[in-house]
Amino acid sequence: MAPVKRRVQLDSSGRDNNDSMPKKVRKQSPNSHPKSKVPASSPPPQKKNVQPSLLKNDERSFPRGGASALTPLEHKQIQIEAERDVLFENRASKAYAEGDDASDKEDTGGLARQRTKQDRASKKRKRSQPSLTTIAAPSEDSVKIESPSFRRLVPGSLVLGQVTRITPRDVALTLPNNLTGYVPLTSISDKLNQRIETVLASSDGEESDDAQDGGDIDLKDYFRIGQYLRACVTSNVDDDMAIDRRKFKRRIELTLDPRQTNVEVAGSDVAVGSTMQAVVVSIEDRGFVMDIAIKNQSLKGFVPIQELDPNIDPTTVKEGTVWLCLVTGMGSNGKTAQLSANHQRAGDIRKSNFVSDVPKLDNLLPGTAVQVLVTSTSSAGICGKIAGLVDVTADWIHSGVGNAFDTHAAMAKVGSKAKARIICTFPDEEKKVIVSFLGHVLSLSHPTVRTDVSARSPLDVLPLSTVVDVAKVMKVVPKLGLVLDLGNDLQGFAHMSRLSDDRVDSLSETTGSLKIGSVHRARILSYNSMDGHFILSLERKIIEQPFLRLEDIRVGQLVEGTIEKLLITAEGIGGLLVNLADGISALVPEAHFSDVKLRHPERKFKEGMHVSARVLSADLEKRSMKLTLKKALVNSRVIWTTYQQVSVGSQSVGTLISISQGGAVVQFFGNVRAFLPVSEMSEAYIKDPREHFHVGQIVTVYVRSVDPEHEKMTVSCRDPSQSGAENQAGEGETIGSFVEATVTEKTDLHFTLQITRSGRPAILRLGHLTDGTEQKDKSAWKRMHIGQKLQDLLVLTTDSKRQIAVLSRKPSLLKAARASQLPWSFQDLQANQFAEGFVRNVTTEAVFVEFGGGLVGLLPKKQLTDEMHNIPNFSLRLDQSIKVRVRSLDHQLQRFTLSMKEEPHGKDDAIDVNNKKDGTADGGLSNPVDGHSTSMADFTLGARTQARINAVKETQLNVQLADRVHGRIDISEVFDKWEDIQDKKKPLSSFKKNQVIAVKIIGIHNSRTHRFLPISHRQGGTPVFELTAKPAGQSSDGASFLTLTDLSVGSSVVAFVNNITDTHIWTTVSPSVHGRIELLDLADDVSKLKDLTANFPPGTALLTHVKNIDLSNNRLDLIAIPRRKPEGLALDDISEGMILPGQVTKTAESALIVRLSHSVVGTVGMTQVADDYLQADLSAFRKNEIIRVCVLEVDAANQKVTLSTRPSKVLSSSLPVTDPHISAVSQLKVNDVIRGFVKHFSEKGVFVRLSPNVVAFVRVSDLSDAYLKDWKAAFKIDQLVQGKLTVVDEKQNFVQMSLKASMLDKDYVAPISFEDVQQKQIVSGRIRKVEDFGVFIVIDNSRNVSGLCHRSEMADGKVADVRKLYEEGDQVKAIVLKVDREKRRINFGLKASYFQDEAAADDAMDLVDGEDSGSESGVRLGIAMEGGNPDLDTHELDLVDGSDLEDENDEVDALDASDDNSDDDSADINVVAEGLSTGGFDWDGIAMGSAALEKDVTSAKPSDVKANISRKRKAHGSDIDRTGTLDSQGPQSADDFERQLLGQPNSSALWVQYMAYHLQLSDIDSARTIAERALKTINMREEDEKANVWTALLNLETTYGDDDDDDSSIDGSALDAVFRRACTYADSQTMHIRFASILIDAGKHARADALFQSMIRNKAFAPDPGLWLNYATFLMTTRHEPERARGLLSRACQSVPERLHRYLTARFAALEFASPQGERERGRTILEGLLAAFPKRGELWDQFVALERGKGEDENVRRLFERMTAMGEGGPGKMKARRAGTVFKRWVEFEEERGTERQVGDVRRRAEEYAEWLKGERGEG
């Protein structure tokens, strides 16, 4: 038979998974035997010319007892043969030189493949002759020493390994003898396989990368690096069929399933001290239930939480996790094995935790520690026996012969008993195991190296790829290799094939360059944690090789390589594979071939070409690396691989990877990316970046901002040095300077200019042309033209970021600036000063006035003149010139108020800057308070003087030293000690205004930053002096004050409250020292912490002591609680019953996390929130809230504190306790009725939490008296339930309860029994079984009482097939025809005729006669669904969708102001406010008519829309089949729907009701099936009907689907799969709009936002104005992001046709009125701009009136009517008579509703005047 050709299998990295056999494979006859070694499982071959005794000694152990009958020559021959076998078996190939991958290539050093016929013949001859140079063999009773090798590890072998690598597909285990095995994802445990099947099933059959990688299953959650596991070999693939034998691989596949790893162990064989592989199958409160898969028994294991490995967090353990556990004991019932997963305990084998007696050999499995009697030792290893029965061997590695630093292994002497751990067993060797004496294997720990500091991992001391300059030969292993000392008690092994670049044939301990003691250079290739050896190479080519692993190459590093392959795609060359070193290749993407795009890259790059590249990125998990060949990147000197390397202003080059309208994303090296805004791409204006840039382009950028923490960066292509040069060149255009500029652009609202000197852009607004009226500004605007040069322009402000200056031409500002009388900063202001400015903004309560430099002051309404109060907008407009008086100054907040009224004391007291005589101009003082200071020079540091108090603030005294010379006394500089403060809450209340006090100057106060400065920091202008009024400070010399360095931990200081935040109170200790107090350190009394503002107002004095000082961050932490330790409350300080304040830090699912101190955190469970569980609401607590808690329990071992907020615990509450606290099971009694919260579910029932320590179990049978089809859906976590206790077991700490109403309700009605059933009784029931002759019906609410309805009693007509009418589970209403008491049988009837008379007699049945009921089935019960389609009102249409747009050839009429609809002014406001409908979906199908109208009607006139509505009504109404025999409530069962669908297959309303029927029954899958049927059944021409079904299906998936909680993504879930299908088969835009509405209704706002973003980027959707309005409404009203909503208008105008811009702008203005987040003033500004551009558009005026009227702005409404009816300039112009009549009619109706009779008369008079004026106009015409 010809050999079978097998396909080469590849793993995830592209390597062969199969291994190669020897090159030559000889054909063999069926009767022939190979000359090579026979597998262990087959019988030994018959050898010729060999003595039987030798064969027997080689293959079998010697029997016990008896003397040897062999001659001395035979003994010597046996020694030679044994040594040869040992050397042959342990002759590893390059495995020890090539790490994990190389170990798989092991083939006994390559000698087996290279052995020639002469070699084999020579060895045959040598076997018969003794050799004196061989190693002394063990005694004759020894066994052959074996090592686990690739060939020896046959399927079924068990081996101990350590987890060394975890990938999404498999787990790699390091095995003894430098081998590596792989555990596939599906070979871990059955529990994990079930999880995988669930994940694959949830993908809906679609194969994806996530499904291939295990979906959401991360193996790192199940395993950890270094974990010891027992594995069973399932295959050791050796690729014989590899075409290229140089690339063959060997792969050992393993399984961790206990059914394989514990396969030979029976329940009675489980011994204490042995190890068992176990799988977590259930997670309980006290531990984990484990499956150990014992043969033929149901023995389970249990691991208590305290027996878990310290490195494992119990909360992160998942079902399906596999552990190697130590058997610590057996349960009393013999069905539970007590296990320990703590490897530290299992590794402690000094006195226990090992097996000494072997009742059965099945207990001897890898991982188990045993006691071994050492029988012989040699250089090849150790031999011994276990209990005198089982032979054990340890090779030269694991015996310690090859490890001189393992002290434990050195203790194994001949005749001694030593501890060892089994590491391997073979299926063909029942009485032989392989063990290890190494210390780290015995202790199940990691190998460590003791250094001067601590124990470290060997890889931390010598990382992989390290070159060791001094490696000393310690041991020579003949024909294998060398053991070398690497220093630091570390050693490595170098195989013979890795000793030199040339071939090494032999090794000698005493001669040659490789003898013992010789020193060499070596390089570390890998490390085997099981063997405790480094794998080394002494080859020069390896030592000099630049890289051995992918990890050796840094991102951003320059590398040299050779092009290995050109990757060909459909478009051409898609990439290059570059070989960097042996086994290391990297990819060069097409975009990184060159700085410019290559049209023919194949002409430039050839295979074998040498290239220089730079590493672009590396993904070590996927084992991939990308390079770049772009010269700009290769030659770049600045390489950014992390955000921490980046600083603001630095420069580098990057690659554009994506370009959008707003900017581009720039990629650097690694994961460093930055955003390049479009405004920073060039000095010139760029409309669309895609016109100037392309993906892959190299750009030089400068860093504008960087946030390393959030990995965000913004860059610019504009050189900041050039911007600085421009600034220097334009020094004359600083704020306050005069410049000359040229007009470059002219708009209705402003001019864009270019400054002549610097070329910088500038803006001159329309209101800054003159000081006059708006008409004068417009006249000046008309006279100006583009290209005109303007001189003497004043620079008001500059924007350094945008490099734009704001100019003014107002004569009043120019005059004040030339006279230095225009304020530019707060320091330029003085009380009662008059100054020129302009109006910045006007509100209903105040006017904001702006001066130079952006300085803005507040002019309150009450400070305006009296005549201005009654004038709209106070007769002011934006940018209008105004002269005001500075009324008051707030130096602390840098705020000031203005006034237009005269000073109450008269004009003489007012200071006008025009006539000001400043005495401080030359340094002189005016009216000094002390009476003797003459100049500012007298106010020096430490100078004593007097000050007059101007104002008494909460935290400071504002004083005056002289006229216009001010000072400040901080509250901390008033009192010497705590006892001097009389009023602790208001310490400064004893000071009065105008009081003169003694002060001393200690510094300068920076009024802008509110910080203390030394006296040397005096700047321009009059300074604000920092003063002290302490009596002790007056008497001392100098100006000393408290600094942070003067304090120490524990010292006492007086602090004053300055500010209050959510977590701290900020205090002032001195002018330069500020401290903070945590709320928990503020007071013990929680009542004071409840209202911080009232109990600790600013200025409150606190006696504190220092908790912590951080000089580097200038931070001081204080404690205000006496006798509180600086380190805070510790766990040892807390005891049960203590009542403490706590701070809520987090609200978890079922508990509150409360912080008691910096180091102590406790939890408040649901049962401890309130004394009445109905009031237990965790959402009532807010983060950082201070609450009072009572300590219930302190678990010091687990660092856990259990707390309670019950009023009965924390307060002396006399209120009744509805739900008392249960501290132990002993408090409970059977039949107690108690309440609790559902904790979790299991397959057997529900667990209810009664208290933090008591949990009750409710069986499924005790959940309800009624049958629950899906009982888990009836309960949810944290649901409050009430039940009666049925079992209370204190010993077992077990409580069982029942939730049945029959056990709780006194008025409970018992279920119907057979005796209760009467003839002619009408009952409701459920179909239990369907047969050909009839159906069996179970009566509802009965004791399983059932009966038969024969097929002849189902319908008045003949029933051909019963199964077509009824299915199991159908709800029916039936009548009892006959009751047979003896046989206990009941006959039912379902004929409709049985219920006709009954309906007349009993109205409660609510049945209706049917015309053809005789031919149909009986009446069924179901959920009443209202049918029909009531007429739709046109106001229900969402006008935002564009339903009120005109035809494309007409102008857009935003609001149709017809005479007939004049009363509906406010309706439009509601429509705009509503925007995109977020209402719930109508599952009754009533809203299908309106839903069908959501299709885009942008091109339809309003009249067309109304006609379309009418047609929809008629068409939809015609589909309703009203000839059926259903009752008035519509279909009641599935058959009812099926009958109706036969007549109305295209009715989406009926299909949706059918879906709702199944949803009411919680049958989600059936509802989906109905939707799919509907989509296939409805005619393809009925697009609207199909769209309705798609909408219903989307609603179903949103509400009931398995979509994840992350609502920021719109890809990957079942919901999105339905959405993509809907967009494919229905109108895409309609589906997008409906899907957005569904997402908003479901609360998935981030997801809806992402959907809107994708819609506006779609060129097919973007021209629709309704889309932009919907998005803006969503952002404004739902997301509360008005700025984003406003930013959409400019983007929308670029996509929406120009003819719709007016409509779009008007709607955005209306949104400002309608939305709570809107700004009405902004809306008015937009509408005013539209009216200025389109004064004759009546609909704009009507909309403006409607919006103002809807907001109650009556005066604004009257002004708009006056402007509309103006008979000259200023209005919309002459109106037609009909239009004028409509306007005046509305005005009259408005005044009749809101105005007075006089105002109504004025309007009527004005109407008559307007009519006369129209007549006159016509006469003139």
Side-chain angles (χ1 to χ4, degrees), residues 1238-1242 1244-1248 1256-1260 1263 1271 1275 1299:
V1238 175
K1239 181 184 178 184
H1240 66 273
F1241 307 108
S1242 70
K1244 297 182 180 180
V1246 178
F1247 290 89
V1248 179
F1257 175 67
V1258 185
R1259 298 180 301 181
V1260 176
L1263 293 176
W1271 62 269
F1275 298 91
L1299 305 183

Side-chain angles (χ1 to χ4, degrees), residues 370-544:
V370 294
Q371 185 168 309
V372 178
L373 175 63
V374 180
T375 59
S376 64
T377 61
S378 67
S379 59
I382 295 177
C383 296
K385 286 185 178 292
I386 302 175
L389 297 175
V390 182
D391 294 322
V392 299
T393 62
D395 60 11
W396 67 274
I397 297 176
H398 287 272
S399 64
V401 175
N403 194 335
F405 304 113
D406 196 310
T407 57
H408 187 279
M411 297 171 61
K413 304 296 183 181
V414 175
S416 64
K417 290 185 178 181
K419 304 294 193 316
R421 192 172 298 277
I422 301 174
I423 60 174
C424 185
T425 62
F426 303 114
D428 56 344
E429 295 283 356
E430 296 182 356
K431 296 184 178 182
K432 181 179 179 181
V433 296
I434 298 178
V435 299
S436 175
F437 290 90
L438 298 181
H440 67 275
V441 178
L442 285 173
S443 60
L444 294 178
S445 61
H446 308 290
T448 57
V449 178
R450 179 62 61 179
T451 62
D452 296 337
V453 181
S454 62
R456 300 173 59 188
S457 171
L459 287 176
D460 294 337
V461 179
L462 292 177
L464 299 183
S465 302
T466 301
V467 176
V468 181
D469 293 327
V470 179
K472 186 177 180 180
V473 178
M474 297 175 56
K475 179 179 177 60
V476 175
V477 183
K479 300 183 180 181
L480 279 183
L482 304 177
V483 178
L484 296 97
D485 181 10
L486 306 179
N488 296 319
D489 292 343
L490 293 175
Q491 64 182 24
F493 177 78
H495 190 263
M496 287 185 63
S497 60
R498 291 294 188 184
L499 297 180
S500 174
D501 292 336
D502 300 327
R503 179 174 177 175
V504 177
D505 295 326
S506 62
L507 296 173
S508 174
E509 296 181 350
T510 58
T511 60
S513 61
L514 299 175
K515 63 182 179 180
I516 294 179
S518 59
V519 177
H520 309 273
R521 293 186 72 211
R523 189 165 190 175
I524 297 176
L525 301 180
S526 63
Y527 179 75
N528 187 285
S529 57
M530 283 292 295
D531 298 337
H533 273 168
F534 284 102
I535 308 304
L536 308 175
S537 174
L538 276 62
E539 298 168 285
R540 180 177 297 178
K541 64 178 182 181
I542 297 297
I543 296 175
E544 296 177 353

Side-chain angles (χ1 to χ4, degrees), residues 1455 1457 1738-1747 1764 1779 1783 1786:
L1455 291 172
E1739 74 278 0
L1740 293 177
W1741 292 95
D1742 293 341
Q1743 180 181 1
F1744 205 172
V1745 170
L1747 294 172
M1764 279 194 287
R1779 168 65 181 167
V1783 173
R1786 292 184 177 180

Side-chain angles (χ1 to χ4, degrees), residues 1249-1354:
R1249 186 186 296 278
L1250 305 182
S1251 74
N1253 298 323
V1254 181
V1255 177
F1257 175 67
V1258 185
R1259 298 180 301 181
V1260 176
S1261 59
D1262 292 332
L1263 293 176
S1264 174
D1265 291 294
Y1267 171 73
L1268 297 177
K1269 181 179 180 181
D1270 186 4
W1271 62 269
K1272 289 185 179 180
F1275 298 91
K1276 59 182 179 180
I1277 303 298
D1278 292 338
Q1279 178 182 345
L1280 179 62
V1281 295
Q1282 184 176 15
K1284 179 178 288 188
L1285 302 183
T1286 58
V1287 177
V1288 177
D1289 189 343
E1290 296 184 27
K1291 296 182 179 179
Q1292 297 285 340
N1293 197 27
F1294 176 75
V1295 179
Q1296 185 173 316
M1297 65 189 302
S1298 173
L1299 305 183
K1300 288 185 176 180
S1302 59
M1303 302 187 69
L1304 300 173
D1305 191 0
K1306 296 180 180 179
D1307 301 327
Y1308 174 72
V1309 178
I1312 299 173
S1313 63
F1314 183 83
E1315 288 73 16
D1316 298 332
V1317 180
Q1318 302 296 328
Q1319 192 172 356
K1320 295 186 179 180
Q1321 179 182 354
I1322 295 179
V1323 296
S1324 62
R1326 176 176 53 86
I1327 302 296
R1328 180 173 61 87
K1329 191 175 182 181
V1330 181
E1331 299 290 351
D1332 293 337
F1333 53 82
V1335 296
F1336 290 92
I1337 302 173
V1338 178
I1339 300 177
D1340 290 340
N1341 194 26
S1342 69
R1343 301 180 187 273
N1344 201 25
V1345 178
S1346 63
L1348 172 67
C1349 176
H1350 194 266
R1351 61 188 300 174
S1352 61
E1353 297 296 337
M1354 289 183 180

Side-chain angles (χ1 to χ4, degrees), residues 1502-1549:
S1503 59
D1504 297 337
V1505 176
K1506 297 175 182 178
N1508 187 29
I1509 296 172
S1510 178
R1511 288 194 299 270
K1512 289 291 181 183
R1513 290 175 183 168
K1514 294 178 181 179
H1516 198 71
S1518 63
D1519 288 342
I1520 299 178
D1521 182 8
R1522 303 188 183 277
T1523 63
T1525 61
L1526 304 178
D1527 54 34
S1528 60
Q1529 292 186 348
Q1532 297 292 302
S1533 65
D1535 283 345
D1536 293 345
F1537 282 106
E1538 294 293 346
R1539 286 193 293 272
Q1540 278 204 343
L1541 288 173
L1542 291 177
Q1544 307 173 56
N1546 295 328
S1547 173
S1548 60

Side-chain angles (χ1 to χ4, degrees), residues 741-746 751-755 761-762 785-788:
T742 303
V743 179
T744 59
E745 186 179 354
K746 181 178 180 181
F751 293 92
T752 301
L753 303 93
Q754 184 177 12
I755 299 177
H785 57 85
I786 296 178
Q788 180 179 353

